């Protein structure tokens, strides 16, 4: 599944339109965020997570979306189910993100 690019303008619509959502909050200057990009793409393409929407949000330009997950550091990952925040964490560890996503599936 392709990664959805969202901003404050459409973030709530993305949450309402998808039952299960994992969000990567990033900033253009964040090296660890850039390093995680291919891992996030690989997770999005994994058939195990076919029923999960993968979303990228620029944390600097989307303060309202950032506030919904309580972003404290970057990269920050948050999982939402039925529009509600389930869990969020600042991490660069792929295994940790995989476990967060598996809780949704």
């Amino acid at each position: 599944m392709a990664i959805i690019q969202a901003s404050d303008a459409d973030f709530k619509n993305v949450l309402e339109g998808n039952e299960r959502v994992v969000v990567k909050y990033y900033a253009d200057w964040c090296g660890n965020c850039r390093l995680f990009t291919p891992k996030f793409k690989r997770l999005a393409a994994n058939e195990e997570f076919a029923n999960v929407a993968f979303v990228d949000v620029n944390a600097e330009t989307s303060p309202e979306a950032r506030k919904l997950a309580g972003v404290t550091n970057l990269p920050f990952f948050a999982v939402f189910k039925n529009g509600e925040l389930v869990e969020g964490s600042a991490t660069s560890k792929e295994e940790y993100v995989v476990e967060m996503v598996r809780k949704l599936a």
Side-chain angles (χ1 to χ4, degrees), residues 64-77:
E64 295 301 319
R66 187 178 67 223
K67 223 182 287 181
L68 285 176
V71 175
T72 56
N73 207 342
L74 297 173
F76 190 94
F77 295 86

Side-chain angles (χ1 to χ4, degrees), residues 4-77:
I4 301 167
Q5 299 294 324
S7 66
D8 279 353
D10 57 1
F11 188 67
K12 285 189 178 179
N13 288 337
V14 170
L15 291 181
E16 290 169 3
N18 296 283
E19 182 182 350
R20 298 173 175 95
V21 177
V22 58
V23 183
K24 182 185 84 179
Y25 293 91
Y26 70 95
D28 292 333
W29 50 261
C30 173
N32 283 336
C33 300
R34 284 194 301 270
L35 288 173
F36 204 91
T37 297
K39 298 173 188 173
F40 201 58
K41 286 180 182 173
R42 191 170 52 242
L43 290 175
N46 187 332
E47 287 188 25
E48 180 182 352
F49 306 129
N51 62 349
V52 178
F54 285 75
V55 179
D56 264 341
V57 171
N58 186 323
E60 286 192 313
T61 60
S62 300
E64 295 301 319
R66 187 178 67 223
K67 223 182 287 181
L68 285 176
V71 175
T72 56
N73 207 342
L74 297 173
F76 190 94
F77 295 86

